Amino acid sequence: MFVGIDLAWNDRARTGLAALDDDGRLAASTSVRSNTEIDTWLDTNTSSVPKVIAVDAPLIVTNPDGQRPCERMVTAAFGRYDAGCHASNTSKPYFNPPRAQVLADRRGWNPDPGSNGSGVCLEVYPHPAMVGLFRLGRILPYKGKRGRTVEVRRTATLDLLDRMEDLDQLDVAENERWQQLRRAADEATRPMHLEGIEDEIDAIFCAYLAWSWRHRREDLQVYGDIISGYIVAPPPPTHATTPRVPRNAPRASGDAHHPSHVSVSFSVSGQPATFATAGERAWRDVVEQAAAEAMNGRPTLQGRLSVQVDFVTAQRHGKHPGWDLDNLIKPTIDALTPVIGPREGQWRHAQPDDERVDEIVAKKRPAEADEQPGARIVVLEIAAHTSGTTGHSSPMSCSGSGATTLH
């Protein structure tokens, strides 16, 4: 059994709990508040001492002020992806001692990451772990933060759930509780709807990190040490970051259907194809279908747009020349009509309104072992729609193997 805990700093806030079986499948999850509720759930859902427990909360804090060394290390590795750490120190009452340390002592768990026995308790941090494992260009904005609309958070939460469903070990497709979480995210219209599920989702992800610590150790490493504190996260990433939307960029005015910075994200399964090749039509069809399913009947996005595409291509064999990134982009953008709407005018075939796309950030990489080719696509409103305006020139940034930057 492997356990994940998104531990609140006190018993007034929600704590997420999750357990995976030895094969990494989701067995149970919930959210509670009090220490008694935590212990009761653990006693009920873990028949023996868990092999590994991954806790999203400071576990070892000895410094009187400032950041712990491990927090500085993680920030140095992941800060450019917006996945830096807050400061933990003993001047803050809730870290003197940390609630995670008290929990580990109460349960008899061992905080030494070098131990190979059962009951190993690790401190983890989901944001950098997601950046590393999912190769994100920036953290998913599913947490409550000033300026984030419910729609932005809802879209990001569904994006996270999609990515977690791609982790085959979790095997959540038919899990009843998982489907309840997905429905809650899909139907969320107020911040409280998302806040009621985010801790549990984080706990499930933490449980996956606990399972990975035993079965995919190469995906993780220890930042820091057991004396001054440590955080378990993926190795420092080398993939490109996603550019931030400038703070002074014009924002959409926002209404019931189009709050500012609305985004749509979805995954596509299939072999990406380049422009004017035999596979182009099939690729456009699967992208268009995935885009339509992601919109689920909602109005198309308005205003000026940014498109981010992460391609995963099949492994090259023999003398296959590979796929040019710039030629992968065009058929993909051309299939986004369900998201960005059709272009006005008389056309033999419907054309997407891609004149409103002012920024494209694209990456490609070959599929890893047992990984299926496809793409991850995010479309973001970056400025309000103004009738009668014309497009303005913006860079189209493309990174990856054989990357190209077009101006």
Side-chain angles (χ1 to χ4, degrees), residues 56 67-87 123-143 145 148 205 223 231-237 239-242 244:
D56 176 16
Q67 285 190 311
R68 296 177 294 168
C70 63
E71 292 164 343
R72 293 195 294 270
M73 293 177 191
V74 170
T75 298
F78 294 92
R80 63 195 178 102
Y81 302 88
D82 286 347
C85 295
H86 296 291
E123 178 182 337
V124 298
Y125 182 16
H127 273 319
M130 291 172 188
V131 166
L133 297 182
F134 297 144
R135 297 177 63 86
L136 301 176
R138 200 162 295 282
I139 62 170
L140 297 173
Y142 66 101
K143 295 284 190 178
K145 189 175 181 180
R148 285 181 185 167
F205 185 76
Y223 294 80
I231 298 171
V232 171
H239 61 271
T241 60
T242 300
R244 292 187 182 92

Side-chain angles (χ1 to χ4, degrees), residues 98-343:
R99 192 182 184 196
Q101 177 187 325
V102 174
L103 172 62
D105 290 345
R106 187 170 73 243
R107 304 293 302 187
W109 296 335
N110 182 359
D112 183 358
S115 173
N116 292 318
S118 293
V120 176
C121 185
L122 309 174
E123 178 182 337
V124 298
Y125 182 16
H127 273 319
M130 291 172 188
V131 166
L133 297 182
F134 297 144
R135 297 177 63 86
L136 301 176
R138 200 162 295 282
I139 62 170
L140 297 173
Y142 66 101
K143 295 284 190 178
K145 189 175 181 180
R146 184 177 180 181
R148 285 181 185 167
T149 66
V150 172
E151 180 61 18
V152 166
R153 292 178 60 197
R154 188 188 76 88
T155 300
T157 301
L158 291 171
D159 187 351
L160 174 57
L161 295 178
D162 286 345
R163 293 173 187 272
M164 291 173 66
E165 286 179 5
D166 289 340
L167 301 172
D168 293 338
Q169 291 73 26
L170 286 178
D171 193 24
V172 292
E174 303 301 325
N175 184 284
E176 181 178 355
R177 180 54 184 163
W178 181 266
Q179 295 306 318
Q180 292 172 350
L181 294 172
R182 175 169 278 283
R183 283 194 297 273
D186 193 47
E187 297 170 1
T189 58
R190 299 175 62 186
M192 63 181 291
H193 299 152
L194 296 171
E195 290 157 5
I197 61 174
E198 66 180 28
D199 305 293
E200 187 172 345
I201 294 170
D202 278 351
I204 296 171
F205 185 76
C206 289
Y208 175 77
L209 296 178
W211 180 87
S212 297
W213 185 247
R214 283 291 165 89
H215 296 281
R216 291 186 174 174
R217 183 69 67 88
E218 69 278 4
D219 290 345
L220 300 168
Q221 72 174 51
V222 176
Y223 294 80
D225 54 56
I226 196 171
I227 303 301
S228 63
Y230 68 86
I231 298 171
V232 171
T238 57
H239 61 271
T241 60
T242 300
R244 292 187 182 92
V245 175
R247 288 184 180 271
N248 59 353
R251 295 194 173 200
S253 58
D255 58 30
H257 297 293
H258 293 105
S260 62
H261 297 297
V262 174
S263 65
V264 174
S265 61
F266 56 95
S267 294
V268 184
S269 297
Q271 172 53 49
T274 53
F275 175 65
T277 61
E280 179 187 1
R281 181 70 263 175
W283 173 244
R284 287 177 60 175
D285 285 346
V286 297
V287 172
E288 188 168 4
Q289 180 179 352
E293 292 175 354
M295 294 304 291
N296 194 27
R298 287 180 291 157
T300 56
L301 301 189
Q302 304 298 308
R304 314 308 298 183
L305 304 172
S306 170
V307 178
Q308 303 161 20
V309 190
D310 292 356
F311 293 103
V312 178
T313 61
Q315 293 283 350
R316 287 181 290 181
H317 297 287
K319 297 182 179 180
H320 192 287
W323 292 269
D324 291 342
L325 185 57
D326 55 338
N327 288 328
L328 285 170
I329 293 170
K330 179 173 173 47
T332 304
I333 300 296
D334 285 348
L336 295 180
T337 302
V339 177
I340 66 179
R343 179 175 294 186

Side-chain angles (χ1 to χ4, degrees), residues 6 15 139 246 297:
D6 181 41
T15 284
I139 62 170

